[in-house]
Structure formats: structure tokens, C-alpha cells
Amino acid sequence: MPVRNRLAELQTEVAEWRRDLHENPEILFETHRTSAIVEDKLKGFGCDEVVGGIGRTGVVGVIKGKTDSGKVIGLRADMDALPIHEETGLDYASKTDGAMHACGHDGHTAMLLGAAKYLAETRNFDGTVVVIFQPAEEGGGGGKEMCGDGMMERFGIDEVYGMHNWPGRPVGSFAIRSGAFFAATDQFEIVIEGKGGHAAKPQETVDTLVVTSHIILALQSVVSRNVDPVKQAVLSVTSCESSSKAFNVIPQTATLKGTVRTMAPEVRDLVEDRIKAICESTCAAFGATAKVDYKRSYPVMSNHEVETGYAIDAARKVAGDCEEAPLVMGGEDFAFMLEERPGAYILVGNGDSAPVHHPKYNFNDDAIPAGASWWAELVEMRMPAAS
């Protein structure tokens, strides 16, 4: 695999950084230790500017090339962990109970640090690189926060690129697709109110759990009977709780929670409308009421066509090939950055590991040279050094 020789040499050092981050995971915007380490390393690499506190705890480093064409490319990695108890048994397993790097953000951060060190050493490009270390990808919208702080304008970013490791793909291989790639992610909470009472006298009640059961079943028809079969959507009810835990009480209220994943704005609108209509009409039929709280979270992450081509070219130079990736119904808040600037998001193989968001997942350090080399190749290809 034609990775950068220097980055291959740095693999052991970068893996040490990664394992330290893995051992000390931080959730959402609470990436204070991680952010401080990133800032310290970027300053040590000789970055021309290092700025913290963007998007609360995000960090940005600026690396200028040997010459300045005026072009600026942003490279983004996420830093936050997940609220999962680790079960890997690793020597460097999480020391924080109930938190672990179960999605490989420790690897993403370490790989981008490795690329930043290489780029700061060589500066073999004509323009400026902005390395972006983002908190709160896992549900906090850290990408939106960083954009909201004016990051793109402040650092003059023209294009932006991101990467995610992918279990099940050969280590260091790449895959990508143009257009819609990761789904929009929404969540809903439905509070159903009936009339509680004694379980031995159901005729005197409006049985909230019967109503809830009908709603859950009816919601399953939204994707199968309302969404165009050639389009993608997922609707999952993931929680059902009532106001009573007793064996002999029909509860007054019940609460449903769930998620919706879609790939197109019109499908997103349709699913939201159908959820509300089903809840209202089903409750009306039984004499109950429903309050639906539908919250839109991350938008569809959509790669830009031209920039996807650049990402493919860089991947092929590093790994020899780049496959077309499947649609992913998971969410990714790099979507907010791609709404601000043209760019692309690529997958790098993590090998035969546990899946992401699993308590036995671990980032594969053998992917470090390929991932870091892709970022470096992209920079040097898009901003070739002036002759």
C-alpha cells in the first residue's frame, strides 16, 4: 500500500496518542482533556495558528504551505466518545465508567493529528490547511456549533473533507458515494393520555396501553405503505413506558420514544406528518389524547459530486482503489459542514472488528497510515506545490 513513508514511520507514535485518548474518553462537549491534548500537539507541530473554544470545545489548527495560492482546505475529525460501558478487556480500556470510544473517534483524532504533523513538517503544498477537531458528533451537533461560531468564514475554508472508519471493510481500503450518503436523523416522543383506573374494571377506563399498542403497530405501516418503495426510510419505536408499574393498575399515561431516518426532504416531511396523523386519529378512536414532540436533528449528509471525485482520486493513490459505498441510515453531523462548504466524506476500512457503538469495538491501529496518508494526499493533490 503506497502510504506516505513518513506517516508509516509515525504509526507507532500516532497509535500511542490514540490509545491514550481511548483510555480517557469524554462525551459530547465535555472533551476538555482531549481538546487540550490536541491544542498542545498542534502547537508542538509548529502550526501557524491554533484556536480552541470553537463550537464550545472544538479546536482548529492552521498550517500554511510553502507558497500561498489563497486556497484553503479543511480536514475534520470528531473527538467525542459514547455513553457505553466498555467490554474489550484491553490494557488501555476506558478508565471512565460508562464511557468509551465505541465509534473510533479516538482513531479519527489521532489520524488527523498524524496528518497535521506531516503537513506541518513538509508544507509541500500551495495554500492553507485548516485541521478541525470537533466535539459532540454523537448527538450533540458539534459540527453545527462550530459552523455557528463562524468557523468557515473566520478561516476562509473553501472545501472540507471528513473520514470515518468502517468495520467489515479491509483495513486501509476506502469507499465513498456521491450525493446522499448518511441519513437525516430525527427523534420523537409521544405522550398518550387515557383514563387510568383499576385493572379489574377496564370498562371504567380508557386503556392507554391498548391505545399505545395500536399506535405502535400503525406506525409500522408508514414506511411499508406510505413511503415510495424505491426511497429509503426507517421508523423505529425504541421505548415504551407507562405511568404505572403495578400489576393491577391501568395507567393514566404512556410515553413512546423512537427515531426516524430518511434520505430525502419530502420523505422526511411525509413521515413526520403521518406520525402525527396516526397518533391523533388512533387516540380519537379510543377516547384518548396524544401529544407528539417531533424533533429534527442532523440533516442528510450529502457528498458534493466534484469533491467526491477528488476524494476518490486521493484514495486510489493511497490504496490503489476506492469502492462505491452503500447508503448508510445512520446519521453524521458532518452534514452541517457540507451544507456550508463543498466537500466529501469517505470510509476507511477497520478490518474484522466489532461494529461501531458496540461495547467490544476497538479502532484498528493498522488503519492509521492509510487514513493519515489520504488526508495528506488530498491536500497535496488539491493544492500542488508551486514549481
Side-chain angles (χ1 to χ4, degrees):
M1 182 180 292
V3 300
R4 293 288 194 278
N5 289 336
R6 176 59 176 145
L7 289 167
E9 293 170 1
L10 286 172
Q11 180 178 354
T12 300
E13 183 179 7
V14 174
E16 289 174 355
W17 303 340
R18 200 279 297 181
R19 294 181 181 202
D20 175 70
L21 297 175
H22 188 93
E23 196 171 8
N24 298 277
E26 295 173 304
I27 293 172
L28 292 173
F29 291 98
E30 300 303 313
T31 58
H32 303 292
R33 179 184 184 275
T34 305
S35 298
I37 288 172
V38 168
E39 285 193 53
D40 183 64
K41 290 196 180 299
L42 293 177
K43 290 174 182 176
F45 300 159
C47 289
D48 297 280
E49 185 180 2
V50 179
V51 182
I54 299 177
R56 302 197 219 178
T57 47
V59 180
V60 168
V62 177
I63 307 168
K64 296 184 180 298
K66 291 178 181 177
T67 51
D68 185 10
S69 64
K71 188 171 185 62
V72 182
I73 287 181
L75 309 176
R76 173 270 202 179
D78 35 21
M79 300 186 291
D80 58 318
L82 281 157
I84 296 175
H85 180 74
E86 184 162 352
E87 297 177 5
T88 61
L90 295 165
D91 292 340
Y92 53 88
S94 171
K95 295 190 296 187
T96 304
D97 188 47
M100 75 168 287
H101 273 292
C103 202
H105 296 186
D106 51 342
H108 304 163
T109 297
M111 285 192 294
L112 187 53
L113 283 173
K117 182 170 185 175
Y118 168 86
L119 292 167
E121 287 176 353
T122 60
R123 298 182 185 262
N124 190 34
F125 55 93
D126 182 19
T128 301
V129 175
V130 176
V131 287
I132 303 163
F133 295 86
Q134 180 206 306
E137 190 282 322
E138 297 289 359
K144 184 177 183 180
E145 294 273 350
M146 294 189 84
C147 290
D149 270 357
M151 176 183 69
M152 298 297 184
E153 296 78 14
R154 177 174 178 177
F155 297 99
I157 296 170
D158 298 310
E159 300 171 15
V160 64
Y161 298 87
M163 181 193 303
H164 203 293
N165 77 93
W166 209 248
R169 287 202 57 80
V171 178
S173 66
F174 292 94
I176 196 171
R177 69 183 298 120
S178 181
F181 192 177
F182 279 60
T185 60
D186 299 337
Q187 62 190 45
F188 58 84
E189 180 176 283
I190 304 164
V191 179
I192 300 148
E193 184 160 3
K195 181 181 178 183
H198 200 293
K201 298 180 179 181
Q203 75 280 6
E204 297 179 1
T205 73
V206 174
D207 194 330
T208 308
L209 293 182
V210 170
V211 180
T212 300
S213 299
H214 279 269
I215 288 174
I216 292 172
L217 290 174
L219 290 177
Q220 304 312 305
S221 71
V222 174
V223 173
S224 65
R225 286 295 175 268
N226 298 132
V227 175
D228 186 331
V230 302
K231 297 183 178 179
Q232 296 79 25
V234 175
L235 191 165
S236 294
V237 178
T238 56
S239 173
C240 179
E241 296 181 352
S242 77
S243 57
S244 172
K245 307 300 180 187
F247 289 98
N248 59 348
V249 174
I250 291 174
Q252 179 77 12
T253 62
T255 301
L256 297 177
K257 294 180 182 179
T259 186
V260 173
R261 310 298 174 99
T262 54
M263 283 288 186
E266 66 273 15
V267 177
R268 195 179 200 183
D269 292 341
L270 169 67
V271 175
E272 180 179 356
D273 289 344
R274 291 302 300 144
I275 288 174
K276 292 176 178 177
I278 285 171
C279 290
E280 291 170 2
S281 59
T282 304
C283 283
F286 285 94
T289 59
K291 179 181 178 183
V292 180
D293 183 15
Y294 191 98
K295 293 182 179 178
R296 297 196 174 197
S297 184
Y298 299 169
V300 173
M301 191 195 73
S302 187
N303 279 340
H304 296 251
E305 183 177 1
V306 172
E307 287 68 27
T308 299
Y310 300 146
I312 291 171
D313 290 343
R316 286 174 174 165
K317 288 185 178 181
V318 173
D321 193 16
C322 184
E323 295 183 5
E324 182 171 2
L327 290 168
V328 179
M329 298 310 288
E332 170 54 64
D333 86 339
F334 188 62
F336 293 111
M337 296 190 187
L338 290 178
E339 287 187 335
E340 295 265 335
R341 293 294 186 273
Y345 190 79
I346 200 166
L347 307 179
V348 61
N350 199 58
D352 188 21
S353 70
V356 294
H357 293 221
H358 189 282
K360 292 187 178 180
Y361 166 86
N362 187 35
F363 178 83
N364 192 333
D365 289 330
D366 289 340
I368 288 171
S373 291
W374 178 77
W375 267 314
E377 181 65 51
L378 190 61
V379 167
E380 294 176 359
M381 183 186 68
R382 291 294 298 126
M383 301 188 294
S387 57

